[in-house]
């Protein structure tokens, strides 16, 4: 029994007419009739009653039709699924997020647009610190990742910068300078600096710490938080001040206020990263969505890496 035999039978059973079924299938009537007869011979019983003005289903034909129809539909679905994967229209993409990118609106706007464009695509997402993220990307455990720059190990990958964020100062709500629109880092030099662990994002860590040391901060007063996001909790509890990406200002914490940095030179990029060799079609589709237009009104600069 061949799949085409089932297709032929389903067509005749649905139209109850050999001529119309043949036209629908794009074949002539005699071959259609012959193939139905071969199917009936293989099954060992008539499936159709040949009548003057058409055909009708026998009892065996009525019992056979639902299963035959399901098999044909499953075959069509499998065929379309395979073609969709080959075109990159469906399938699965494993996508990583740096922990500090979790608050970035441009990234999630891109994800929404991607899912609208490719609704059959399954995104398997994972949030990790930068060190683990780059390791998983290097080892092929991730197809691509949204990362935060600077990142020294990012040189091993293709990069497309999608947004640039200025850094802000996070202060306890009761801090004497909390009502200022902008604050010089040197005015906070006597404060404890709340920082994420260096191995979370080594290059960004060095950028922030070196800038603060030049402004007069002391390494002896650096307080460690588990992640960039959790640093806000320590600030709110009076543990010090922190420098965080602009997107984190959306975090609602009544005990934390955000101020601009006076004469700010601290910026961080959000980039889409993927391996140099043999990128999946799904990755290239994501890249095409990213390249459509700028996504971040706060961006002051953006460029391909």
């Amino acid at each position: 029994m061949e799949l085409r035999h089932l297709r032929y039978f389903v067509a005749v059973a649905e139209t109850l007419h050999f001529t119309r079924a043949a036209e629908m299938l794009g074949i002539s009537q005699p071959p259609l009739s012959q193939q139905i007869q071969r199917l009936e011979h293989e099954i060992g019983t008539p499936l159709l009653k040949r009548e003057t003005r058409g055909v009708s289903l026998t009892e065996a034909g009525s019992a056979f039709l639902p299963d035959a129809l399901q098999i044909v539909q499953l075959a069509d679905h499998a065929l379309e699924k395979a073609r969709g994967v080959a075109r990159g229209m469906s399938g699965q993409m494993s996508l990583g997020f740096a922990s500090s990118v979790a608050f970035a609106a441009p990234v999630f706007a891109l994800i929404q647009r991607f899912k609208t464009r490719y609704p059959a695509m399954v995104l398997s997402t994972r949030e990790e610190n930068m060190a683990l993220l780059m390791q998983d990307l290097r080892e092929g455990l991730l197809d691509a990742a949204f990362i935060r720059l600077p990142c020294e190990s990012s040189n091993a990958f293709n990069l497309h910068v999608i947004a640039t964020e200025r850094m802000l100062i996070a202060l306890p709500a009761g801090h004497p300078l909390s009502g200022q629109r902008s604050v010089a880092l040197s005015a906070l030099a006597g404060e404890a600096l709340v920082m994420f662990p260096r191995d979370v994002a080594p290059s960004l860590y060095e950028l922030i710490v070196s800038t603060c040391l030049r402004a007069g901060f002391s390494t002896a007063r650096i307080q460690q938080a588990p992640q960039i996001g959790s640093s806000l909790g320590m600030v709110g509890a009076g543990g010090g001040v922190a420098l965080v990406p602009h997107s984190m200002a959306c975090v609602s914490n009544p005990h934390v206020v955000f101020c601009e940095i006076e004469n700010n030179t601290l910026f961080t990029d959000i980039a889409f990263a993927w391996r140099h060799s043999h990128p999946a079609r799904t990755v290239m589709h994501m890249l095409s969505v990213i390249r459509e237009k700028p996504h971040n009104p706060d961006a002051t600069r953006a460029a391909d890496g």
Side-chain angles (χ1 to χ4, degrees):
M1 185 184 303
E2 299 179 21
L3 182 60
R4 63 191 177 99
H5 292 152
L6 299 182
R7 292 190 188 278
Y8 293 166
F9 167 72
V10 168
V12 176
E14 289 181 339
T15 60
L16 296 178
H17 202 281
F18 271 97
T19 302
R20 286 197 291 270
E23 291 174 353
M24 185 174 67
L25 293 166
I27 62 176
S28 59
Q29 181 177 335
L32 174 60
S33 181
Q34 292 171 7
Q35 295 303 322
I36 294 294
Q37 288 175 358
R38 289 184 181 179
L39 177 62
E40 291 175 321
H41 178 74
E42 184 170 350
I43 294 174
T45 186
L47 301 174
L48 302 168
K49 295 177 183 177
R50 280 72 172 172
E51 299 171 347
T52 305
R53 296 185 177 180
V55 297
S56 61
L57 292 170
T58 64
E59 185 176 353
S62 295
F64 185 68
L65 178 59
D67 291 336
L69 181 59
Q70 184 178 15
I71 292 170
V72 170
Q73 290 173 339
L74 285 172
D76 290 342
H77 176 72
L79 182 63
E80 184 56 34
K81 185 176 181 180
R83 287 173 174 169
V85 170
R87 295 193 304 265
M89 302 295 290
S90 61
Q92 181 168 320
M93 177 166 62
S94 55
L95 191 59
F97 294 85
S99 300
S100 64
V101 175
F103 304 98
V107 172
F108 292 96
L110 283 169
I111 298 298
Q112 288 180 333
R113 290 172 54 207
F114 182 82
K115 290 175 73 68
T116 299
R117 181 81 56 82
Y118 303 100
M121 185 71 63
V122 176
L123 291 180
S124 175
T125 60
R126 184 186 311 168
E127 181 183 332
E128 293 178 335
N129 67 48
M130 285 290 294
L132 290 176
L133 199 65
M134 304 314 282
Q135 179 180 335
D136 286 351
L137 188 58
R138 186 181 300 107
E139 294 177 356
L141 299 177
L142 292 170
D143 294 317
F146 288 101
I147 67 173
R148 188 173 290 281
L149 304 177
C151 172
E152 55 192 12
S153 59
S154 66
N155 295 330
F157 304 97
N158 293 313
L159 298 175
H160 185 100
V161 174
I162 62 171
T164 298
E165 291 188 280
R166 63 188 185 275
M167 302 293 285
L168 299 178
I169 302 171
L171 298 170
H175 193 280
L177 298 178
S178 62
Q180 301 294 317
R181 177 176 175 81
S182 65
V183 176
L185 285 178
S186 58
L188 299 170
E191 305 282 350
L193 178 64
V194 179
M195 286 294 300
F196 51 88
R198 185 183 183 281
D199 58 4
V200 167
S203 297
L204 182 59
Y205 180 96
E206 295 295 343
L207 176 64
I208 295 173
V209 170
S210 62
T211 300
C212 289
L213 291 179
R214 287 195 299 271
F217 281 75
S218 169
T219 54
R221 301 204 65 190
I222 294 179
Q223 301 291 320
Q224 184 169 293
Q227 294 286 350
I228 294 179
S230 56
S231 65
L232 295 182
M234 290 185 62
V235 170
V241 300
L243 272 61
V244 298
H246 178 269
S247 58
M248 290 185 64
C250 70
V251 177
S252 179
N253 187 327
H255 304 293
V256 177
V257 296
F258 299 92
C259 300
E260 299 286 350
I261 302 173
E262 190 174 289
N263 300 319
N264 191 8
T265 60
L266 278 175
F267 294 86
T268 173
D269 291 332
I270 297 173
F272 182 68
W274 70 101
R275 290 184 300 279
H276 290 297
S277 59
H278 309 298
R281 291 196 183 199
T282 53
V283 172
M284 302 315 293
H285 285 316
M286 175 66 82
L287 190 59
S288 69
V289 172
I290 290 171
R291 284 173 169 161
E292 285 177 356
K293 61 179 181 179
H295 307 287
N296 185 12
D298 184 57
T300 57
R301 56 188 170 90
D304 283 343

